[in-house]
Amino acid sequence: MSVIADPIIDPKRALRAARIAEFKSFARRFMRNPLGMVGLVIVIALLVCAALAPILATHDPYLPALSDRLAAPGAEYWFGADELGRDIYSRIIYGSRLTLLIVGLVIVTSAPVGLVIGAIAGNYGGWVDRIFMRITDVFLAIPKLLLALAFVAALGPGIVNAALAITLTAWPPYARLARAEALIVRNSDYVNAIRLAGASDFHIIVYHIMPMCLSSVIVRMTFDMAGIILTAAGLGFIGLGAQPPLPEWGAMISTGRKFIFDQWWVATVPGFAIFIVSLGFNLLGDAMRDLLDPHLRQRR
């Protein structure tokens, strides 16, 4: 009797297939969330506007045309013109690049810093945990905008300095999340087995504790993007963010507030852009939380 040998299974191919199947399942569950899809469409539209700004813009966002000063919305200027005759629609489109730049700079710096601090504090505990968490408490005790104002006033106005100032106020929540996850994971059976096998603390933190924190960190990042946009707009509104003639939305509201009663579009249109983008990130974050939080998934 002949024996048919089992085919050799490639571990890498099996892992790749499992990840693809998991991603497809996630995508199907995400598409069943209508508000999440609305948020995703808004975020994708923001990315498209930033990537294709030279194509989508109808005018030069920096070139003044005093003859068209404060022109009302119409065929020539879809969203009207500002106090220097610049097209507000084109400035909104180019301003999406500045918005994404600030959000990207803050997220790329604040999330890893908070993740590392929280994972180290939760893994070691003791005096290390107390020192890191008391520093975190100090940053959490001060309102974000107030702390960002203090830092950007010391560093000087500008996009990079504004992003750095927001970063210094944005990392504590990530540290808290990572610490909570690390306190749970560090005493789990598989981590104890790895530790008994001789794995170092660095290996445990990087390859076992931090990956377990990623789902919570991703959800927090999505929610924080709306807050980052509002904080950056607040700094631009008071003149400590992006400087003229850059088309930053908060600065556009600041220059247009003096015309709010007669030429309402100068300040209203960039304010509406901030509202829509913030709403999109909040809706996307809400959907991501429902999908990535295991407790909410079990309830559903």
Side-chain angles (χ1 to χ4, degrees), residues 194-212:
I194 295 170
R195 188 176 287 112
L196 290 174
S200 63
D201 288 332
F202 176 81
H203 179 88
I204 293 173
I205 291 173
V206 172
Y207 294 100
H208 299 283
I209 293 180
M210 284 187 177
M212 294 298 294

Side-chain angles (χ1 to χ4, degrees), residues 132-200:
F132 281 156
M133 287 303 102
R134 294 301 76 78
I135 295 174
T136 304
D137 290 339
V138 170
F139 280 87
L140 287 173
I142 305 174
K144 286 186 177 181
L145 184 57
L146 196 62
L147 191 59
L149 284 173
F151 278 113
V152 79
L155 297 173
I159 293 179
V160 176
N161 289 343
L164 180 58
I166 299 173
T167 298
L168 294 173
T169 67
W171 66 266
Y174 298 102
R176 283 289 187 184
L177 279 175
R179 175 182 179 270
E181 296 284 351
L183 289 175
I184 298 173
V185 174
R186 71 173 184 175
N187 293 322
S188 58
D189 293 338
Y190 79 94
V191 171
N192 288 330
I194 295 170
R195 188 176 287 112
L196 290 174
S200 63

Side-chain angles (χ1 to χ4, degrees), residues 15-265:
L15 180 60
R16 191 183 306 114
R19 288 176 176 174
I20 293 174
E22 184 178 0
F23 176 77
K24 289 181 178 179
S25 175
F26 177 84
R28 285 194 298 268
R29 288 184 287 115
F30 185 88
M31 287 188 291
R32 289 197 292 265
N33 189 321
L35 293 179
M37 289 299 298
V38 172
L40 180 62
V41 169
I42 293 174
V43 173
I44 291 176
L46 177 67
L47 295 173
V48 170
C49 289
L52 304 179
I55 299 174
L56 297 177
T58 57
H59 295 75
D60 189 327
Y62 303 104
L63 183 64
L66 296 179
S67 59
D68 296 327
R69 181 177 182 270
L70 299 175
E76 178 66 20
Y77 300 104
W78 296 350
F79 293 162
D82 63 8
E83 73 282 1
L84 295 178
R86 296 171 297 190
D87 181 38
I88 294 178
Y89 164 75
S90 300
R91 288 178 65 79
I92 291 292
I93 294 296
Y94 273 87
S96 63
R97 290 184 165 185
L98 298 177
T99 299
L100 285 177
L101 175 62
I102 294 174
V103 170
L105 288 175
V106 174
I107 290 298
V108 167
T109 52
S110 62
V113 169
L115 182 61
V116 170
I117 291 176
I120 292 175
N123 180 71
Y124 285 102
W127 64 269
V128 175
D129 182 30
R130 287 194 293 271
I131 290 176
F132 281 156
M133 287 303 102
R134 294 301 76 78
I135 295 174
T136 304
D137 290 339
V138 170
F139 280 87
L140 287 173
I142 305 174
K144 286 186 177 181
L145 184 57
L146 196 62
L147 191 59
L149 284 173
F151 278 113
V152 79
L155 297 173
I159 293 179
V160 176
N161 289 343
L164 180 58
I166 299 173
T167 298
L168 294 173
T169 67
W171 66 266
Y174 298 102
R176 283 289 187 184
L177 279 175
R179 175 182 179 270
E181 296 284 351
L183 289 175
I184 298 173
V185 174
R186 71 173 184 175
N187 293 322
S188 58
D189 293 338
Y190 79 94
V191 171
N192 288 330
I194 295 170
R195 188 176 287 112
L196 290 174
S200 63
D201 288 332
F202 176 81
H203 179 88
I204 293 173
I205 291 173
V206 172
Y207 294 100
H208 299 283
I209 293 180
M210 284 187 177
M212 294 298 294
C213 305
L214 285 181
S215 61
S216 300
V217 169
I218 290 173
V219 173
R220 180 74 197 194
M221 284 168 56
T222 311
F223 276 117
D224 276 356
M225 288 178 183
I228 293 168
I229 292 172
L230 293 174
T231 304
L235 293 175
F237 182 83
I238 61 177
L240 294 177
Q243 298 300 297
L246 293 177
E248 198 274 323
W249 295 344
M252 291 173 65
I253 296 175
S254 178
T255 58
R257 72 184 188 276
K258 65 186 74 162
F259 311 108
I260 191 67
F261 294 107
D262 298 322
Q263 291 82 24
W264 52 267
W265 53 87

